[in-house]
Amino acid sequence: QVRLVESGGGLVQPGGSLRLSCVVSGSAFSITTMGWHRQFPEKRRELVAGITGSGTTNYAEDSVKGRFTISRDNAKKTVYLQMNNLKPEDTAVYYCNTQSGRWSWGQGTQVTVSS
């Protein structure tokens, strides 16, 4: 059974940075395309960025290109999301999962961007 544990969220001012981490247990992590998703209040989760097992990245939203960077450490079974120049509209709960979201979701980590 796969377990996902996200961390690193918090309250940050506009223009600030956060680095999210997600530790994955119980899976063939190194060959799995992973993704970071986010959910705005009363909205469905949406994919933000994905990364293949070999490190090829894609960003699903134009609004995060150039500001967010997804990466992974296969030895640590961890996927990261570096978020720079954060904006109030980035406020959401962030989740990691496979890029298609096929595993059970973790608890997510709240990111709040506000002055």
Side-chain angles (χ1 to χ4, degrees):
Q1 183 174 349
V2 176
R3 184 167 180 246
L4 307 167
V5 180
E6 301 95 341
S7 63
L11 173 63
V12 63
Q13 292 186 343
S17 298
L18 286 172
R19 188 192 194 205
L20 307 184
S21 299
C22 173
V23 179
V24 182
S25 60
S27 77
F29 177 80
S30 64
I31 62 172
T32 301
T33 296
M34 295 296 298
W36 278 98
H37 308 252
R38 65 184 177 184
Q39 186 170 22
F40 301 109
E42 301 182 8
K43 295 289 181 68
R44 298 177 66 177
R45 283 189 194 95
E46 57 188 38
L47 178 68
V48 175
I51 184 167
T52 68
S54 59
T56 301
T57 61
N58 69 89
Y59 296 90
E61 296 186 22
D62 288 342
S63 64
V64 306
K65 291 178 180 177
R67 300 190 299 123
F68 290 10
T69 303
I70 188 171
S71 62
R72 66 191 294 160
D73 185 330
N74 287 339
K76 295 182 178 179
K77 289 192 171 183
T78 302
V79 60
Y80 304 98
L81 186 67
Q82 177 68 43
M83 305 187 295
N84 298 328
N85 191 22
L86 281 160
K87 303 177 180 180
E89 51 263 41
D90 295 318
T91 295
V93 181
Y94 286 72
Y95 301 85
C96 75
N97 206 307
T98 66
Q99 183 165 289
S100 62
R102 72 173 186 265
W103 292 335
S104 295
W105 296 93
Q107 82 287 351
T109 186
Q110 174 71 48
V111 172
T112 302
V113 185
S114 175
S115 55

